[in-house]
Amino acid sequence: MPRRRTTSSSSSTAPSAPRNRTPQPVRVRRRSFGDFVKAFLAFVVLLVLVLGVPLALATQIGWPLPDGAPSLDWLQREITVQTFLHILTVIVWFAWAQFAACVLVEVKAALSGVGVPGRVPGSGPSQLLARQLVAALLLVGATAASLTPGLSQLGQSLEGNQKPSVAAAQQTPGLFAQQQEQAAATASALAEQAGQAGQAAARADGGASAAHGDTKYYRIQPPEGRHHDSLWEVAERHLGDGRRYKEIFELNKDRVQPDGSRLSEASLIRPGWIMEMPGDARGGELVEMPDEAPNVSEQVQQQISDYAKSGDHAQGGGGAQGGGDAQVSLPEQRPAPTPANPVTPATPVPSTGGEHAAPAAGQEGHSFGLPEALLAAPLLAAGLLGALGRRRRQAMWQSALGAVGGRRGMEPPTPTGDAQDVQDALLVGADPEGVRLLDRSLRGLAAALAAESRPLPVVYAAWMSGNGDLHLQLAQPAGKPPTPWQQGQDQTFWMLARADAERYEDAETAAPYPGLVSLGTMDDSRLLLNLEAVPGIVSLGGAEADRAAVFASVAAELATNGWSDRMTITLVGFGDDLTPLAPNRIRHLDGFEDLFETMSAETRQRRGALGAAGHDSVLTGRTGPAQHTRWAPHLVLLAAQPSDDDALRLAELAADAGRLGIGYLVGTQGTDLPGAAWEMEITGEGRLLAPLLGLELDAQMLPAAQRRAVVELFTDADPGSDPEGGPGRPANAPPFLVDISEQGRPAVYARLVGSYEIIGLDAPDGERSALLHEALALLLLHREGVHPRVLSSALWPRGVTPDVRDALLERLRTWLGSDPDGTPRLATDATGRLTLAKSVVSDLDVLRSLYYEATQGRGVDSRQVRGRLLTDALVLVRGPLLADRPEGRYRWLTHEIVDAQLPLLVADTGLALSEFHLEKNRAEKAIEALNAALRTAPADERLWHELLRATHTTGDPDRLRALAADLVARSGARGLPPRTEALLDELLPTWREGVSAAG
């Protein structure tokens, strides 16, 4: 079973190691004159509201209670204006009493340090106002630790907000007390699951350290006022470095304390607990030895003595305590079935779980120049590739529906340079099947829970394991999962096997966890963090360039992923504009003030919407009666580090973010960001570290050069961004023009439009025929060249060894042969891409060349030539592309846009030929050309419109009426498009009567 990596205690002292600020108090900000003014004004407001309001009511209006017992006469009295005033007075008294109760509850919670204050029923805004006034009043005397929740207090689930754990009493209350309480359960759900893999080594290090001096012990001190003891402060006082708290934690983890409980989380310690200290601990009477503790009672001495016997050295050395499998953040992995003839992947191979493993050392030796970051990001690559395909299709349809002569054309510009490398990396690295299974699994879970009237559990993370299983890491146990989901390694893991996921069908339900985003891989498992469920802020430290690469990866995947519906992504501090990736999702803000204004309004709106809908969180809204609202997440990525004051404002704003479906990822150069629930750091080596969560990942990143290339791909796909694509500009030329004269007969001719046939080559070996035909089809559809890794990943999506791939290429070269001058028909260009000779041609190449010559070449000046070329082009159309391709093969066509290009090309050819015939009033010929085009492009509305006009010119109303009835029958329940109805109204005003009579 894979274990989480742990660092030794020695590494924790290195300057480059990530600092854990869980027990570290935030530096106290000096109180300004404005703070005192705010405190004074808060005192005045509280005095007026708590004492002034009842005094004014009692003296001016009267006491709300009646003078005597009520009688039935009250019900028979006439209702006057005075009656309404009396009722209003009682309501005001009740409102004051509720507010006074809120003030008392908040003051008690703030002064006693009991954690989360109780909720006054129905108080809502009143308690919020009371909390803000009390916080402002106490701001002057409060310590920074009381104002800012510790990083270790990770979040409590929404269901448990009113059930604080015993350890919650030890947490520091203050302005963000409610967020601190929410932070407690993430420690239970994630950090308490921290594995004991490495515990023996860590304790061995601790034992070696203790060998340098006597074993010493420390007793956790009771709180003094608003100050609570912490392991960080203990390490800072007695070891000289607060970061060495990890050594104390590892020495005492899971050992039985005097009160019978155990230390499982570094931030959750209790007064009276005993902590074994490293041997070099020094300072003060608080560090005691069990046999030399004259300053403590005999009872404490006995507790220390008993505790000393519970260590690993007293248990025979080593290993993790408790026996059995340790609970770790990384889920248990079930071994994948071993194939009979195992192969070593030569290309980034999608595993059964959708992972793309990097090539093993010594196999490829290099990545053929493709960006490794995208090769190792299968979900990100799949999202970008799918969004790019949709953008290109949309651009083609926009061009097709544009003004005649103002089209940009059906051919998107061929990428070059970095953009071409990035496109190839997307083709190689993408795992659309993994995205599809993830989306179906999550929606299927939501549908199953809704059928059982159960709410969605709070999910902090998802793990996609190497063998294809999906593990959801819950904030807290949520009962038995619905079938086919199973209980994982403990009650906070739900697991779905890949075989069960493949049986899922599409579910008509909202995406339950759209905020999941890939952070990286650990032990062959991919971690997706649910940003919208984090009870606070996620901070990311590290060098600016490394942080920017992580931020870009997160933003790009959120904008294009396939497991979400709607989403808003707000970017602040991003140098490169990522808006072209998803203009409907991404928005950029200039600075923190704009962000604070926007998110303050958003937070208020969401709180009000949840209250009005009767939901306690967005999760219940996504499966409840208000499902149609979708409760789309709003994720904020703040790349620029906020100032201290701005960080405090942001922390207060994010205190309730997890419940509202709002997530914050904030970049920082330090480690003391207020309100940070989870703290991570990206290293220069591409490692993403989160020590408190027990995570050390190979980070998923999108470096600056690749980010610019990705944006370029999307920008070039938008016809509005191309200065050459405006009205009056010629259409783009096809990437490969064929010599259509008699002298241009090809040596090898492949028919792709319709059934697949090859003329000019002998039939290959039957066992390898399918692979050779598929490889040739891919090369024919990409005359600009195909990267070897793109070819191998297309033919073998699950991976292939180098010798098998090279053998296939050699057979393909041999099969295609050489031209009479000795030039191989399969060559390699300067960039290493595979290209076909001009003597190898497909009917799609000929079709494109004929249409181009008819509309942009020789046919422009010669009507006779134009008619002949268009007629020859339409004759080539025998059906859809590769109509009889074998099932399970040619899956790479899902990444292509040729399936949209071909119908458009055929429709344009039919329209041009129809126009050619109508110029000479040859309506029947025009109708024949349009019907031929409709057999390949039946959904093109332009063809139907021209067919209606051509039929109208025949002067036969019965024929036109029959065509209208056929159109209505084809449209089904959706009905005719508005423009088609308008055209029928013009050509045949009585068409509705004919349709009704036919019905």
Side-chain angles (χ1 to χ4, degrees):
M1 179 181 69
R3 309 281 187 171
R4 70 178 172 90
R5 300 176 177 87
T6 56
T7 56
S8 64
S9 59
S10 60
S11 66
S12 65
T13 62
S16 61
R19 296 175 58 194
N20 180 353
R21 62 173 287 280
T22 303
Q24 181 187 20
V26 179
R27 295 183 180 89
V28 179
R29 182 173 64 90
R30 293 181 179 274
R31 304 299 176 225
S32 64
F33 176 75
D35 293 331
F36 288 97
V37 172
K38 292 178 182 178
F40 175 74
L41 293 177
F43 174 75
V44 172
V45 172
L46 281 172
L47 193 64
V48 170
L49 292 178
V50 176
L51 298 180
V53 169
L55 184 61
L57 289 173
T59 56
Q60 300 299 323
I61 299 178
W63 190 249
L65 298 178
D67 298 333
S71 64
L72 294 178
D73 294 339
W74 285 18
L75 301 177
Q76 300 174 356
R77 293 180 183 177
E78 181 182 358
I79 298 178
T80 63
V81 175
Q82 194 67 24
T83 304
F84 282 104
L85 291 177
H86 289 163
I87 294 174
L88 181 62
T89 302
V90 173
I91 293 175
V92 174
W93 273 106
F94 271 117
W96 170 83
Q98 185 186 58
F99 179 77
C102 293
V103 172
L104 293 176
V105 168
E106 294 297 329
V107 170
K108 179 179 181 297
L111 296 180
S112 62
V114 296
V116 175
R119 292 185 177 179
V120 178
S123 59
S126 297
Q127 189 162 7
L128 179 61
L129 175 61
R131 181 176 307 157
Q132 292 173 340
L133 292 173
V134 171
L137 180 60
L138 300 179
L139 181 65
V140 176
T143 63
S146 69
L147 290 174
T148 307
L151 180 63
S152 66
Q153 299 165 345
L154 296 181
Q156 183 162 339
S157 70
L158 302 172
E159 293 81 3
N161 281 346
Q162 299 183 24
K163 300 179 181 179
S165 62
V166 177
Q170 307 301 326
Q171 300 178 9
T172 305
L175 183 61
F176 302 117
Q178 184 173 2
Q179 193 275 344
Q180 290 176 330
E181 175 61 14
Q182 290 179 342
T186 310
S188 300
L190 290 176
E192 283 185 5
Q193 295 165 6
Q196 296 175 349
Q199 182 177 343
R203 291 188 175 175
D205 292 341
S209 175
H212 295 290
D214 297 326
T215 304
K216 301 182 174 106
Y217 296 86
Y218 172 78
R219 191 165 182 264
I220 301 299
Q221 300 301 299
E224 296 181 5
R226 298 176 63 83
H227 177 269
H228 294 257
D229 211 350
S230 67
L231 291 187
W232 180 283
E233 293 175 335
V234 173
E236 195 168 53
R237 288 196 302 267
H238 303 295
L239 298 177
D241 188 348
R243 291 173 293 183
R244 292 186 63 187
Y245 79 93
K246 301 176 186 177
E247 300 176 41
I248 306 175
F249 176 70
E250 292 296 341
L251 284 172
N252 299 274
K253 183 181 177 183
D254 292 330
R255 293 170 65 177
V256 179
Q257 293 292 336
D259 61 359
S261 56
R262 298 173 185 265
L263 173 66
S264 60
E265 170 56 34
S267 64
L268 302 180
I269 58 176
R270 303 178 186 176
W273 279 9
I274 308 298
M275 295 288 117
E276 181 179 342
M277 301 290 291
D280 60 342
R282 295 290 184 273
E285 297 179 353
L286 299 179
V287 177
E288 305 287 356
M289 292 172 286
D291 298 329
E292 302 176 8
N295 297 324
V296 297
S297 64
E298 293 184 1
Q299 180 182 3
V300 174
Q301 292 185 34
Q302 184 62 41
Q303 291 176 353
I304 296 176
S305 179
D306 294 341
Y307 186 77
K309 299 175 183 179
S310 67
D312 284 344
H313 62 278
Q315 299 177 8
Q321 299 177 4
D325 290 338
Q327 294 180 340
V328 295
S329 294
L330 186 67
E332 293 178 347
Q333 308 291 319
R334 297 182 299 178
T338 303
N341 297 310
V343 298
T344 305
T347 61
V349 184
S351 71
T352 54
E355 294 294 340
H356 282 56
Q363 294 168 3
E364 288 286 352
H366 55 83
S367 62
F368 288 94
L370 296 185
E372 290 289 353
L374 288 172
L375 295 177
L379 304 184
L380 170 61
L384 289 172
L385 197 60
L388 181 61
R390 291 190 296 272
R391 184 67 53 80
R392 287 173 171 172
R393 287 181 175 87
Q394 181 182 10
M396 285 191 301
W397 280 107
Q398 288 176 349
S399 297
L401 298 176
V404 177
R407 291 195 47 187
R408 175 185 177 183
M410 291 164 292
E411 302 296 336
T414 301
T416 59
D418 289 344
Q420 187 178 21
D421 290 340
V422 162
Q423 178 173 275
D424 287 340
L426 294 177
L427 290 167
V428 174
D431 181 20
E433 181 66 10
V435 171
R436 184 183 68 86
L437 289 179
L438 176 62
D439 181 48
R440 286 190 173 184
S441 300
L442 296 176
R443 292 181 193 267
L445 174 64
L449 290 172
E452 299 177 6
S453 299
R454 296 171 59 186
L456 286 168
V458 178
V459 170
Y460 284 136
W463 291 93
M464 297 184 69
S465 63
N467 62 2
D469 296 342
L470 174 63
H471 301 256
L472 296 184
Q473 195 163 357
L474 312 184
Q476 68 174 17
K480 182 180 179 181
T483 306
W485 290 78
Q486 308 170 28
Q487 197 79 57
Q489 64 197 54
D490 59 43
Q491 293 184 353
T492 58
F493 275 99
W494 284 2
M495 188 272 292
L496 180 68
R498 181 184 176 90
D500 294 327
E502 289 174 341
R503 290 193 287 268
Y504 259 124
E505 300 293 338
D506 291 332
E508 293 296 330
T509 186
Y513 304 112
L516 286 170
V517 63
S518 303
L519 291 184
T521 57
M522 175 179 176
D523 293 343
D524 297 328
S525 291
R526 182 167 301 277
L527 170 66
L528 290 88
L529 180 67
N530 191 6
L531 276 181
E532 67 166 336
V534 178
I537 297 171
V538 179
S539 69
L540 177 66
E544 183 176 359
D546 297 328
R547 295 202 317 266
V550 175
F551 272 104
S553 170
V554 170
E557 185 169 299
L558 289 173
T560 60
N561 72 55
W563 54 89
S564 63
D565 298 319
R566 295 188 300 111
M567 182 185 303
T568 300
I569 307 165
T570 297
L571 307 180
V572 183
F574 278 70
D576 293 339
D577 191 351
L578 296 175
T579 303
L581 272 60
N584 294 331
R585 287 192 177 188
I586 295 179
R587 65 177 178 183
H588 285 254
L589 296 181
D590 294 333
F592 182 82
E593 288 301 326
D594 292 340
L595 173 66
F596 187 78
E597 180 181 355
T598 300
M599 296 313 300
S600 295
E602 175 87 1
T603 300
R604 290 192 300 269
Q605 187 273 333
R606 290 198 172 217
R607 283 176 180 157
L610 282 177
H615 300 298
D616 57 356
S617 74
V618 295
L619 290 180
T620 56
R622 285 175 186 159
T623 54
Q627 185 185 89
H628 64 280
T629 63
R630 301 293 182 180
W631 299 105
H634 189 155
L635 304 175
V636 177
L637 307 183
L638 181 59
Q641 180 173 356
S643 65
D644 292 343
D645 290 340
D646 290 341
L648 286 173
R649 295 168 65 191
L650 186 63
E652 183 178 3
L653 190 63
D656 199 24
R659 185 176 71 91
L660 304 176
I662 303 175
Y664 294 87
L665 178 62
V666 180
T668 176
Q669 296 178 355
T671 56
D672 50 358
L673 185 69
W678 293 339
E679 187 174 73
M680 301 181 296
E681 179 181 1
I682 180 67
T683 69
E685 294 75 29
R687 304 286 290 170
L688 190 66
L689 309 178
L692 188 62
L693 304 180
L695 298 178
E696 186 174 342
L697 307 172
D698 292 322
Q700 179 171 296
M701 307 170 71
L702 188 60
Q706 298 171 31
R707 179 171 67 249
R708 288 191 292 269
V710 167
V711 173
E712 179 183 343
L713 286 174
F714 279 81
T715 303
D716 288 345
D718 183 3
S721 65
D722 187 359
E724 300 297 326
R729 299 287 184 178
N732 289 352
F736 177 66
L737 288 173
V738 179
D739 183 359
I740 57 177
S741 65
E742 289 294 330
Q743 295 75 25
R745 291 184 177 274
V748 178
Y749 183 69
R751 292 180 175 176
L752 303 179
V753 183
S755 58
Y756 191 3
E757 301 176 15
I758 298 178
I759 302 172
L761 294 176
D762 295 332
D765 185 355
E767 295 181 357
R768 302 182 178 93
S769 177
L771 273 176
L772 291 174
H773 278 75
E774 186 173 357
L776 180 57
L778 179 62
L779 291 167
L780 285 168
L781 293 177
H782 290 277
R783 301 306 302 231
E784 72 278 7
V786 177
H787 197 286
R789 296 188 75 172
V790 174
L791 179 65
S792 59
S793 65
L795 299 181
W796 296 282
R798 300 174 69 87
V800 67
T801 54
D803 57 331
V804 173
R805 182 201 62 211
D806 295 341
L808 175 77
L809 292 178
E810 187 59 33
R811 290 190 187 95
L812 185 59
R813 287 191 179 93
T814 303
W815 182 41
L816 292 175
S818 301
D819 288 332
D821 60 358
T823 304
R825 291 171 182 154
L826 178 62
T828 304
D829 65 11
T831 65
R833 288 172 171 80
L834 302 169
T835 58
L836 291 174
K838 293 183 178 181
S839 59
V840 182
V841 172
S842 73
D843 55 354
L844 184 58
D845 296 328
V846 177
L847 177 60
R848 287 168 169 165
S849 300
L850 288 171
Y851 177 76
Y852 180 78
E853 284 292 335
T855 56
Q856 301 291 329
R858 291 176 296 165
V860 174
D861 300 324
S862 173
R863 186 177 188 280
Q864 182 179 3
V865 171
R866 182 168 73 255
R868 178 174 56 83
L869 292 175
L870 291 173
T871 302
D872 291 345
L874 208 55
V875 169
L876 291 175
V877 181
R878 300 177 297 119
L881 186 74
L882 297 169
D884 57 352
R885 56 181 179 267
E887 185 178 357
R889 304 209 64 88
Y890 297 86
R891 292 184 177 179
W892 46 268
L893 280 173
T894 58
H895 301 316
E896 306 286 342
I897 61 171
V898 67
D899 60 334
Q901 286 176 309
L902 179 59
L904 278 177
L905 177 60
V906 173
D908 283 352
T909 304
L911 289 170
L913 187 56
S914 171
E915 181 183 4
F916 172 81
H917 288 304
L918 288 176
E919 289 175 355
K920 296 296 184 179
N921 296 321
R922 295 196 289 261
E924 294 298 335
K925 288 287 186 180
I927 292 173
E928 182 181 350
L930 292 169
N931 282 325
L934 279 168
R935 284 193 287 270
T936 300
D940 198 311
E941 189 179 0
R942 299 172 302 156
L943 290 174
W944 291 106
H945 289 175
E946 289 305 311
L947 184 59
L948 287 170
R949 293 188 180 97
T951 304
H952 180 260
T953 60
T954 63
D956 187 348
D958 292 336
R959 189 174 179 181
L960 183 60
R961 190 175 294 107
L963 179 58
D966 183 36
L967 275 174
V968 172
R970 288 173 180 269
S971 63
R974 295 175 301 175
L976 292 176
R979 286 181 295 186
T980 304
E981 286 191 357
L983 180 60
L984 279 173
D985 288 337
E986 177 186 350
L987 301 179
L988 186 66
T990 61
W991 69 274
R992 288 184 173 85
E993 299 174 3
V995 170
S996 301

